[in-house]
Coordinates of all heavy atoms in Angstrom, one line a residue:
M1 N 40.0 25.9 -4.9 CA 40.1 27.3 -4.5 C 40.8 28.2 -5.5 O 40.4 29.2 -5.8 CB 40.8 27.4 -3.2 CG 40.0 27.0 -2.0 SD 41.1 27.3 -0.5 CE 39.9 27.8 0.6
C2 N 42.0 27.8 -5.9 CA 42.9 28.6 -6.7 C 42.4 28.7 -8.1 O 42.1 27.7 -8.7 CB 44.3 28.0 -6.7 SG 45.5 28.9 -7.7
Q3 N 42.3 29.9 -8.6 CA 41.9 30.1 -10.0 C 43.1 30.6 -10.9 O 42.9 30.9 -12.0 CB 40.8 31.3 -10.0 CG 39.6 30.9 -9.2 CD 38.9 29.8 -9.7 OE1 38.7 29.6 -10.9 NE2 38.4 28.9 -8.8
H4 N 44.3 30.5 -10.4 CA 45.5 30.9 -11.1 C 45.9 29.9 -12.2 O 45.6 28.7 -12.0 CB 46.7 31.2 -10.2 CG 46.4 32.2 -9.1 ND1 46.3 32.0 -7.8 CD2 46.2 33.6 -9.3 CE1 46.0 33.1 -7.2 NE2 45.9 34.0 -8.0
Q5 N 46.5 30.4 -13.2 CA 47.1 29.5 -14.2 C 48.5 29.7 -14.4 O 48.9 30.9 -14.7 CB 46.3 29.7 -15.6 CG 44.9 29.2 -15.6 CD 44.8 27.7 -15.2 OE1 45.6 26.9 -15.7 NE2 43.8 27.3 -14.5
P6 N 49.4 28.8 -14.2 CA 49.1 27.5 -13.6 C 48.7 27.6 -12.2 O 49.0 28.5 -11.5 CB 50.5 26.7 -13.8 CG 51.5 27.8 -13.7 CD 50.8 29.0 -14.4
A7 N 48.0 26.5 -11.8 CA 47.4 26.5 -10.4 C 48.5 26.5 -9.4 O 49.6 26.0 -9.5 CB 46.5 25.3 -10.2
C8 N 48.2 27.2 -8.2 CA 49.2 27.2 -7.1 C 49.2 25.9 -6.5 O 48.3 25.1 -6.6 CB 48.7 28.3 -6.1 SG 48.8 30.0 -6.7
P9 N 50.3 25.6 -5.7 CA 50.4 24.3 -5.0 C 49.2 24.1 -4.0 O 48.7 25.1 -3.4 CB 51.7 24.4 -4.2 CG 52.4 25.5 -4.8 CD 51.4 26.4 -5.5
T10 N 48.8 22.9 -3.9 CA 47.7 22.6 -2.9 C 48.1 22.7 -1.5 O 49.4 22.7 -1.2 CB 47.1 21.2 -3.2 OG1 48.1 20.3 -3.0 CG2 46.5 21.1 -4.6
A11 N 47.2 22.7 -0.6 CA 47.5 22.9 0.8 C 48.3 21.6 1.4 O 49.0 21.7 2.4 CB 46.3 23.1 1.7
D12 N 48.1 20.5 0.7 CA 48.8 19.3 1.2 C 50.1 19.0 0.5 O 50.7 18.0 0.7 CB 47.9 18.1 1.2 CG 47.3 17.8 -0.2 OD1 47.5 18.6 -1.1 OD2 46.7 16.7 -0.4
S13 N 50.5 19.9 -0.4 CA 51.8 19.7 -1.1 C 53.0 20.2 -0.3 O 52.8 21.1 0.5 CB 51.8 20.3 -2.5 OG 51.7 21.6 -2.5
A14 N 54.2 19.7 -0.6 CA 55.3 20.2 0.1 C 55.7 21.7 -0.1 O 56.2 22.3 0.8 CB 56.5 19.3 -0.3
D15 N 55.3 22.2 -1.3 CA 55.6 23.6 -1.6 C 54.4 24.5 -1.4 O 54.3 25.5 -2.1 CB 56.2 23.7 -3.0 CG 55.3 23.2 -4.1 OD1 54.3 22.5 -3.7 OD2 55.6 23.5 -5.2
R16 N 53.5 24.2 -0.5 CA 52.3 24.9 -0.3 C 52.5 26.4 0.0 O 51.7 27.2 -0.3 CB 51.5 24.3 0.9 CG 52.1 24.4 2.2 CD 51.3 23.7 3.3 NE 52.1 23.2 4.3 CZ 52.5 22.0 4.5 NH1 52.1 21.1 3.6 NH2 53.3 21.6 5.4
E17 N 53.6 26.8 0.6 CA 53.9 28.2 0.9 C 54.2 29.0 -0.4 O 54.2 30.3 -0.3 CB 55.1 28.3 1.8 CG 54.9 27.7 3.2 CD 56.1 27.6 4.0 OE1 57.1 28.3 3.7 OE2 56.1 26.9 5.0
A18 N 54.3 28.4 -1.5 CA 54.5 29.1 -2.8 C 53.2 29.6 -3.4 O 53.3 30.3 -4.4 CB 55.2 28.2 -3.8
A19 N 52.1 29.3 -2.8 CA 50.8 29.8 -3.3 C 50.7 31.3 -3.1 O 51.4 31.9 -2.3 CB 49.6 29.1 -2.6
R20 N 49.9 32.0 -3.9 CA 49.8 33.4 -3.9 C 49.0 33.9 -2.7 O 48.1 33.2 -2.2 CB 49.1 33.9 -5.2 CG 49.9 33.7 -6.4 CD 49.2 34.3 -7.6 NE 49.9 33.9 -8.8 CZ 49.5 34.4 -10.0 NH1 48.6 35.3 -10.1 NH2 50.2 34.0 -11.1
L21 N 49.3 35.1 -2.3 CA 48.6 35.7 -1.1 C 47.2 36.2 -1.6 O 47.0 36.7 -2.7 CB 49.3 37.0 -0.6 CG 50.6 36.7 0.1 CD1 51.3 38.1 0.3 CD2 50.4 36.0 1.4
T22 N 46.2 35.9 -0.7 CA 44.9 36.5 -0.9 C 44.6 37.6 0.1 O 43.8 38.4 -0.1 CB 43.8 35.4 -0.9 OG1 43.8 34.8 0.3 CG2 44.0 34.4 -2.1
A23 N 45.2 37.4 1.3 CA 45.0 38.5 2.4 C 46.3 38.5 3.1 O 47.0 37.5 3.4 CB 43.9 38.1 3.3
H24 N 46.8 39.7 3.5 CA 48.0 39.9 4.2 C 47.8 40.9 5.3 O 47.4 42.0 5.1 CB 49.1 40.4 3.2 CG 50.5 40.6 3.8 ND1 51.1 39.5 4.4 CD2 51.2 41.7 3.9 CE1 52.3 40.0 4.8 NE2 52.4 41.3 4.6
H25 N 48.0 40.5 6.5 CA 47.8 41.3 7.7 C 49.1 41.3 8.6 O 49.1 40.6 9.7 CB 46.6 40.9 8.5 CG 45.3 41.1 7.7 ND1 44.7 42.3 7.7 CD2 44.6 40.3 6.9 CE1 43.6 42.2 6.9 NE2 43.6 41.0 6.4
P26 N 50.1 42.0 8.2 CA 51.4 41.9 9.0 C 51.2 42.5 10.4 O 51.9 42.1 11.3 CB 52.3 42.8 8.1 CG 51.5 43.6 7.3 CD 50.2 42.8 7.0
E27 N 50.3 43.4 10.5 CA 50.0 44.0 11.9 C 49.5 42.9 12.8 O 49.6 43.1 14.1 CB 49.1 45.2 11.8 CG 47.7 44.9 11.5 CD 47.3 44.6 10.0 OE1 48.2 44.6 9.2 OE2 46.2 44.3 9.7
Q28 N 48.9 41.9 12.3 CA 48.3 40.8 13.1 C 49.2 39.5 13.0 O 49.0 38.6 13.7 CB 46.9 40.5 12.7 CG 45.9 41.6 12.9 CD 44.5 41.3 12.4 OE1 44.3 40.2 11.8 NE2 43.6 42.2 12.6
G29 N 50.1 39.5 12.1 CA 51.1 38.4 12.0 C 50.7 37.2 11.2 O 51.2 36.2 11.4
W30 N 49.8 37.4 10.2 CA 49.3 36.3 9.4 C 49.0 36.7 8.0 O 48.8 37.9 7.7 CB 48.1 35.6 10.1 CG 46.9 36.5 10.2 CD1 46.5 37.3 11.2 CD2 45.8 36.6 9.2 NE1 45.4 37.9 10.9 CE2 44.9 37.5 9.7 CE3 45.6 36.0 7.9 CZ2 43.7 37.9 9.0 CZ3 44.5 36.4 7.3 CH2 43.5 37.3 7.8
S31 N 49.0 35.7 7.1 CA 48.6 35.9 5.7 C 47.8 34.7 5.3 O 48.0 33.5 5.8 CB 49.8 35.9 4.8 OG 50.6 37.1 5.2
L32 N 46.9 34.9 4.4 CA 46.1 33.8 3.9 C 46.5 33.5 2.4 O 46.6 34.5 1.6 CB 44.6 34.1 3.9 CG 43.6 33.1 3.3 CD1 43.7 31.8 4.1 CD2 42.2 33.7 3.2
L33 N 46.8 32.3 2.1 CA 47.2 31.9 0.8 C 46.0 31.4 0.0 O 45.0 31.0 0.6 CB 48.3 30.9 0.8 CG 49.6 31.2 1.7 CD1 50.6 30.0 1.6 CD2 50.2 32.5 1.2
C34 N 46.1 31.4 -1.3 CA 45.0 31.1 -2.1 C 44.6 29.6 -2.0 O 43.5 29.2 -2.4 CB 45.2 31.5 -3.6 SG 46.3 30.5 -4.5
N35 N 45.5 28.8 -1.5 CA 45.2 27.4 -1.2 C 44.5 27.1 0.1 O 44.3 26.0 0.5 CB 46.4 26.5 -1.4 CG 47.6 26.9 -0.5 OD1 47.4 27.7 0.4 ND2 48.7 26.3 -0.7
G36 N 44.2 28.2 0.8 CA 43.5 28.1 2.1 C 44.4 28.0 3.3 O 44.0 27.9 4.4
V37 N 45.7 28.0 3.1 CA 46.7 27.9 4.2 C 46.8 29.3 4.9 O 47.0 30.3 4.2 CB 48.1 27.5 3.7 CG1 49.1 27.5 4.8 CG2 48.0 26.1 3.1
L38 N 46.7 29.3 6.2 CA 47.1 30.5 7.0 C 48.5 30.4 7.4 O 49.0 29.4 8.0 CB 46.2 30.5 8.3 CG 44.9 31.2 8.2 CD1 44.1 31.0 9.5 CD2 45.0 32.6 7.9
L39 N 49.3 31.4 7.0 CA 50.7 31.4 7.2 C 51.0 32.5 8.2 O 50.6 33.6 8.1 CB 51.5 31.7 5.9 CG 53.0 31.7 5.9 CD1 53.5 30.4 6.3 CD2 53.5 32.1 4.5
F40 N 51.7 32.1 9.3 CA 52.0 33.0 10.4 C 53.4 33.5 10.3 O 54.3 32.9 9.8 CB 51.7 32.4 11.8 CG 50.3 32.0 12.0 CD1 49.8 30.7 11.7 CD2 49.3 32.9 12.4 CE1 48.5 30.3 11.8 CE2 48.0 32.6 12.5 CZ 47.6 31.3 12.2
E41 N 53.6 34.7 10.9 CA 55.0 35.3 10.8 C 56.1 34.5 11.4 O 57.2 34.7 11.1 CB 54.9 36.8 11.3 CG 54.8 36.9 12.8 CD 54.8 38.3 13.3 OE1 54.7 39.2 12.5 OE2 54.8 38.5 14.5
D42 N 55.7 33.6 12.4 CA 56.7 32.8 13.0 C 57.0 31.6 12.2 O 57.7 30.7 12.6 CB 56.3 32.4 14.4 CG 55.1 31.5 14.5 OD1 54.5 31.2 13.5 OD2 54.8 31.0 15.6
T43 N 56.4 31.5 11.0 CA 56.5 30.4 10.0 C 55.7 29.2 10.3 O 55.8 28.2 9.6 CB 58.0 30.0 9.7 OG1 58.5 29.3 10.8 CG2 58.9 31.1 9.3
G44 N 54.8 29.3 11.3 CA 53.9 28.3 11.6 C 52.7 28.4 10.6 O 52.6 29.4 9.9
E45 N 52.0 27.3 10.4 CA 50.9 27.3 9.5 C 49.7 26.6 10.0 O 49.8 25.7 10.9 CB 51.3 26.5 8.2 CG 52.6 27.1 7.5 CD 53.1 26.2 6.4 OE1 52.4 25.4 5.9 OE2 54.3 26.4 6.1
L46 N 48.5 27.0 9.5 CA 47.3 26.3 9.8 C 46.7 25.9 8.5 O 46.4 26.7 7.7 CB 46.3 27.2 10.6 CG 45.0 26.6 11.0 CD1 45.1 25.3 11.9 CD2 44.1 27.6 11.7
L47 N 46.5 24.6 8.3 CA 46.0 24.1 7.0 C 44.5 24.1 7.0 O 43.9 24.1 8.1 CB 46.5 22.7 6.7 CG 48.1 22.5 6.7 CD1 48.4 21.1 6.3 CD2 48.7 23.5 5.8
P48 N 43.9 24.1 5.8 CA 42.4 24.2 5.8 C 41.7 23.0 6.5 O 40.6 23.2 7.0 CB 42.1 24.1 4.3 CG 43.3 24.5 3.6 CD 44.5 24.1 4.5
D49 N 42.3 21.9 6.7 CA 41.7 20.7 7.4 C 41.9 20.8 8.9 O 41.5 19.9 9.6 CB 42.2 19.4 6.9 CG 43.7 19.2 7.1 OD1 44.4 20.1 7.7 OD2 44.2 18.1 6.7
G50 N 42.6 21.9 9.4 CA 42.8 22.1 10.8 C 44.1 21.6 11.3 O 44.5 21.8 12.5
Q51 N 44.9 21.0 10.4 CA 46.2 20.5 10.8 C 47.1 21.7 11.1 O 47.2 22.7 10.4 CB 46.8 19.6 9.7 CG 48.2 19.1 10.0 CD 48.8 18.2 8.9 OE1 48.1 18.0 7.9 NE2 50.0 17.8 9.1
I52 N 47.9 21.6 12.2 CA 48.9 22.6 12.6 C 50.3 22.2 12.2 O 50.7 21.1 12.4 CB 48.8 22.8 14.1 CG1 47.4 23.3 14.5 CG2 49.9 23.8 14.5 CD1 47.2 23.3 16.0
I53 N 51.0 23.1 11.5 CA 52.4 22.9 11.1 C 53.2 23.8 12.1 O 53.0 25.0 12.1 CB 52.6 23.3 9.7 CG1 51.7 22.5 8.7 CG2 54.1 23.0 9.3 CD1 51.8 21.0 8.7
A54 N 54.1 23.2 12.8 CA 54.9 24.0 13.8 C 55.8 25.0 13.0 O 56.2 24.7 11.9 CB 55.7 23.1 14.7
P55 N 56.2 26.1 13.7 CA 57.1 27.0 13.1 C 58.4 26.3 12.7 O 58.9 25.4 13.3 CB 57.4 28.0 14.2 CG 56.2 28.0 15.1 CD 55.7 26.5 15.0
H56 N 58.9 26.7 11.5 CA 60.1 26.0 11.0 C 61.1 27.1 10.4 O 61.4 27.0 9.2 CB 59.7 25.0 9.9 CG 58.7 25.5 8.9 ND1 57.4 25.5 9.1 CD2 58.9 26.0 7.7 CE1 56.8 26.0 8.1 NE2 57.7 26.3 7.2
R57 N 61.5 28.0 11.2 CA 62.4 29.0 10.8 C 63.8 28.4 10.5 O 64.2 27.4 11.2 CB 62.7 30.0 11.9 CG 61.5 30.9 12.2 CD 61.9 32.0 13.2 NE 60.8 32.9 13.3 CZ 60.4 33.5 14.4 NH1 61.1 33.3 15.5 NH2 59.5 34.4 14.4
P58 N 64.4 28.9 9.4 CA 65.7 28.3 9.1 C 66.7 28.7 10.1 O 66.6 29.7 10.8 CB 66.0 28.9 7.7 CG 65.2 30.1 7.7 CD 64.0 29.9 8.5
L59 N 67.8 27.9 10.3 CA 68.9 28.3 11.2 C 69.6 29.5 10.6 O 69.6 29.8 9.4 CB 69.8 27.1 11.3 CG 69.3 25.8 11.9 CD1 70.3 24.7 11.9 CD2 68.8 26.1 13.3
A60 N 70.2 30.3 11.5 CA 70.9 31.5 11.0 C 72.0 31.1 10.0 O 72.8 30.3 10.2 CB 71.5 32.2 12.2
A61 N 71.9 31.8 8.9 CA 72.9 31.6 7.8 C 74.2 32.3 8.1 O 74.2 33.4 8.7 CB 72.3 32.0 6.5
G62 N 75.2 31.7 7.7 CA 76.5 32.4 7.8 C 77.2 32.3 9.1 O 78.3 32.9 9.3
R63 N 76.6 31.6 10.0 CA 77.3 31.4 11.3 C 78.4 30.4 11.2 O 78.1 29.3 10.8 CB 76.3 31.0 12.4 CG 75.5 32.2 12.9 CD 74.9 31.8 14.2 NE 74.2 32.9 14.8 CZ 73.3 32.9 15.7 NH1 73.1 31.7 16.3 NH2 72.7 33.9 16.2
V64 N 79.5 30.7 11.7 CA 80.6 29.8 11.6 C 81.1 29.6 13.1 O 81.4 30.6 13.8 CB 81.8 30.3 10.7 CG1 82.9 29.3 10.8 CG2 81.3 30.5 9.3
T65 N 81.2 28.4 13.5 CA 81.7 28.2 14.9 C 83.1 27.5 14.7 O 83.3 26.7 13.9 CB 80.8 27.2 15.7 OG1 80.6 26.0 15.0 CG2 79.4 27.9 15.9
T66 N 84.0 28.0 15.6 CA 85.3 27.4 15.5 C 85.7 27.0 16.9 O 85.3 27.6 17.9 CB 86.3 28.5 15.1 OG1 86.2 29.6 15.9 CG2 86.0 28.9 13.6
A67 N 86.4 25.9 17.0 CA 86.9 25.4 18.3 C 88.2 26.2 18.7 O 89.0 26.5 17.8 CB 87.3 24.0 18.1
A68 N 88.2 26.6 19.9 CA 89.3 27.5 20.4 C 90.5 26.6 20.8 O 90.5 25.5 21.1 CB 88.9 28.3 21.5

């Protein structure tokens, strides 16, 4: 699929989200990457083979909990 040089990560690689955008529809909450991955705004993904990757939002940064 990808025609970029160097080629973007494949859909089955760990860094697949680093592929370039080919379509971006923020009003609908999704983007299509050049490796065929559908990336959703909740960080979920749909791979070209139909595999679903559950949302994986990072935990809130900078939160410090202290015991009272």
Side-chain angles (χ1 to χ4, degrees):
M1 282 183 144
C2 179
Q3 302 297 318
H4 301 113
Q5 290 301 323
C8 292
T10 62
D12 59 349
S13 66
D15 60 345
R16 64 181 153 261
E17 295 173 13
R20 294 187 190 184
L21 289 173
T22 59
H24 182 59
H25 293 277
E27 72 283 0
Q28 296 177 357
W30 62 271
S31 298
L32 177 64
L33 304 180
C34 73
N35 57 8
V37 173
L38 274 172
L39 182 61
F40 297 96
E41 70 180 10
D42 69 353
T43 69
E45 301 171 20
L46 179 61
L47 303 186
D49 65 1
Q51 181 181 357
I52 297 169
I53 306 296
H56 48 277
R57 288 186 174 145
L59 297 175
R63 280 198 179 168
V64 177
T65 57
T66 57

